[in-house]
Amino acid sequence: MNNYNFRVPTDIRFGKGQISCLADEIGKYGRRVLLTYGGGSIKRTGVYDSVLKVLEGFEIYELSGIEPNPKVTSVREGVRICKEKGIDVILAVGGGSCIDASKHIACAAFYDGDPWDLVLDNSLVKKALPIFTVLTICATGSEMNPGAVISNEETREKLEINHPLLYPTLSVCDPTYLYTLPKSQTAAGTADIISHIFEQYFQPNDGAYLTDRLSEAALKTCFKYGPIALEEPENYEARSNLMWTSTIALNHLLTFGKGGAWSVHPIEHVLSAFYGITHGVGLAILTPAWMRYVLNKDTEKRFAMYARNVWGIMDKNEHYEALKGIEMTEEFFKKMGLPGTLSEVGIDDSQFSEMAKEAVRTSGLQSRSYVKLETEDVEKILRSCL
Ligand code: NZQ
Ligand code: ZN
């Protein structure tokens, strides 16, 4: 196992009715709250009313309309409100997009220049407002990690800001809030969770035995409960298992003792930066293509291990096992109703070369990923998804 520092300071309040803790917990930090949310799902589902009821007596200011793949323009607006109103706490109610924008606002509120500077240079983050979250879609793990992914339309970049000050202080994870998710978001969220696990599992270090077994259990949970959540949106067992899996899939637990750069996310981030597609959809399309591309004599063993331990595939031929595991993964995404090709989501090859360059420029693909990828490799992977 590699050396590893593990400290996750976020307080998780998991289960039905946990929202009631917010008044006491937020009250420890002040009374002026910036409530952030997306395009209005929380108003339709009633979560908005529950939040206002719990926070009666607090001074609430709102930033609504945070878009999926959140933009720096929303962050700038949030920072303006924080500075003007002397906000004490940010409460993000929604998914990764809303939480990520809120993290960025939380630190940009203490920065005098443009918020985008902090994305380009994370070391400029010196201070941040406390961030509370109420999670309404399980996918990104943003509720218990220090990362935020922000898009800049002007530069067509989608980049991460990551800093220990950006761990949420407390996150309310109530699985019943997931009941209203449309099928497409349940499917995309599950694909994102699975991809996070893969990104950490498919790394060269074979010595982190426990971490690998935890990852396999997390994958099995997604494969078991994803289809159930799709068919029975109010199945508490399915929703609660997926919700906790999404949190642990990206709170550093599954990378403990391992490390290395991610492979598929950097490629997906350019897809959503250029075409605005749903993150989990892009991952579902790219993942099987990436797996096939990097399968070789060196990687075969780990892919076969995945196939055996997660899918129960047993054969004398490791290469066959590995291929079968990839096939099962692809079948699973299909079963979840996710698109299998870029053409299905209206993406052609016209910008592949530019996108491949951007993916390599903004990541560790060339130097630290499971199988190192050059621009030409990324372009080939994209082409195989058409
Ligand atoms: O905007 P509203 O109206 O709220 O609707 C949202 C949005 O359209 C809807 N939704 C959320 N909860 C709902 C609901 N609809 C009905 N009922 C509910 N309970 O779902 C849509 C998607 O929401 P979003 O927040 O965009 O989804 P997600 O959590 O998947 O976040 C995606 C963003 O997070 C980034 C992605 O790149 C993308 O920008 N990521 C963040 C990471 C992190 N911070 O660690 C890591 C990830 O790899 C990822 O890159
Ligand atoms: Zn992701």
Side-chain angles (χ1 to χ4, degrees):
M1 278 172 82
N2 295 340
N3 287 7
Y4 205 79
N5 297 349
F6 188 75
R7 180 176 181 273
V8 187
T10 305
D11 187 345
I12 294 289
R13 301 297 173 100
F14 186 90
K16 285 181 198 165
Q18 289 281 25
I19 199 169
S20 61
C21 75
L22 283 182
D24 282 351
E25 296 300 328
I26 290 181
K28 292 175 185 168
Y29 297 87
R31 311 299 296 176
R32 282 178 304 248
V33 178
L34 176 65
L35 170 62
T36 58
Y37 54 97
S41 73
I42 65 162
K43 290 202 169 161
R44 292 192 296 278
T45 60
V47 179
Y48 175 82
D49 291 338
S50 308
V51 168
L52 290 193
K53 197 165 162 216
V54 168
L55 293 184
E56 229 175 86
F58 282 76
E59 218 177 297
I60 311 269
Y61 299 91
E62 296 190 17
L63 174 70
S64 61
I66 295 174
E67 47 289 292
N69 302 320
K71 296 179 187 152
V72 67
T73 42
S74 293
V75 173
R76 290 185 186 122
E77 177 58 12
V79 170
R80 188 191 63 72
I81 303 173
C82 286
K83 289 184 174 171
E84 200 176 293
K85 305 293 180 191
I87 294 295
D88 300 311
V89 173
I90 301 182
L91 173 61
V93 183
S97 297
C98 170
I99 300 173
D100 286 5
S102 303
K103 288 175 176 175
H104 192 188
I105 294 167
C107 56
F110 293 103
Y111 179 71
D112 285 336
D114 185 59
W116 190 248
D117 298 348
L118 305 178
V119 176
L120 295 179
D121 181 358
N122 295 186
S123 73
L124 295 172
V125 175
K126 301 292 178 206
K127 202 173 168 191
L129 286 165
I131 303 145
F132 282 67
T133 87
V134 174
L135 193 64
T136 66
I137 169 170
C138 64
T140 65
S142 189
E143 66 278 9
M144 202 182 189
N145 74 38
V149 187
I150 306 295
S151 297
N152 185 331
E153 272 193 316
E154 282 165 35
T155 60
R156 287 215 292 188
E157 285 171 300
K158 183 178 182 187
L159 300 174
E160 188 184 8
I161 171 166
N162 196 304
H163 194 281
L165 287 170
L166 302 184
Y167 277 104
T169 301
L170 182 148
S171 287
V172 171
C173 302
D174 181 337
T176 64
Y177 295 162
L178 308 177
Y179 290 174
T180 54
L181 279 171
K183 280 190 173 192
S184 57
Q185 290 296 342
T186 297
T190 306
D192 192 21
I193 305 170
I194 290 169
S195 175
H196 294 159
I197 306 167
F198 283 154
E199 299 278 21
Q200 300 164 92
Y201 185 81
F202 289 106
Q203 293 290 347
N205 184 332
D206 284 331
Y209 181 89
L210 173 63
T211 304
D212 281 342
R213 299 297 82 73
L214 288 172
S215 295
E216 287 157 1
L219 285 167
K220 281 167 119 168
T221 307
C222 296
F223 294 138
K224 176 179 164 76
Y225 287 113
I228 299 176
L230 214 57
E231 290 316 311
E232 302 168 35
E234 302 198 6
N235 185 313
Y236 188 80
E237 183 177 319
R239 293 296 195 186
S240 53
N241 275 284
L242 286 170
M243 196 172 214
W244 181 228
T245 306
S246 79
T247 304
I248 67 155
L250 201 44
N251 74 350
H252 299 168
L253 185 65
L254 302 187
T255 206
F256 196 103
K258 299 185 67 151
W262 288 18
S263 301
V264 181
H265 269 66
I267 311 177
E268 196 300 309
H269 283 164
V270 291
L271 270 185
S272 39
F274 278 56
Y275 291 98
I277 66 166
T278 302
H279 177 58
V281 169
L283 294 169
I285 296 170
L286 289 167
T287 299
W290 168 80
M291 287 178 155
R292 289 204 170 89
Y293 192 81
V294 301
L295 183 62
N296 59 36
K297 277 271 160 281
D298 296 330
T299 61
E300 188 172 284
K301 196 165 161 255
R302 184 160 277 274
F303 276 103
M305 179 173 84
Y306 158 65
R308 281 195 302 274
N309 294 350
V310 176
W311 292 106
I313 292 157
M314 295 292 167
D315 195 89
K316 281 183 204 135
N317 183 329
E318 271 195 343
H319 188 73
Y320 173 83
E321 288 177 325
L323 279 176
K324 203 74 195 148
I326 297 172
E327 215 175 275
M328 296 300 284
T329 312
E330 194 167 43
E331 281 304 312
F332 175 82
F333 290 143
K334 251 189 224 153
K335 187 173 161 185
M336 293 294 286
L338 288 157
T341 62
L342 289 175
S343 325
E344 282 171 70
V345 292
I347 298 178
D348 61 21
D349 63 358
S350 56
Q351 304 195 72
F352 280 179
S353 137
E354 209 184 322
M355 282 158 61
K357 275 188 212 133
E358 182 66 3
V360 169
R361 180 185 76 81
T362 54
S363 71
L365 281 172
Q366 258 176 334
S367 54
R368 297 187 302 116
S369 60
Y370 185 40
V371 171
K372 298 182 185 33
L373 299 175
E374 299 293 335
T375 310
E376 309 79 71
D377 299 309
V378 175
E379 210 173 321
K380 280 183 195 156
I381 291 171
L382 286 167
R383 222 162 265 293
S384 71
C385 293
L386 276 170

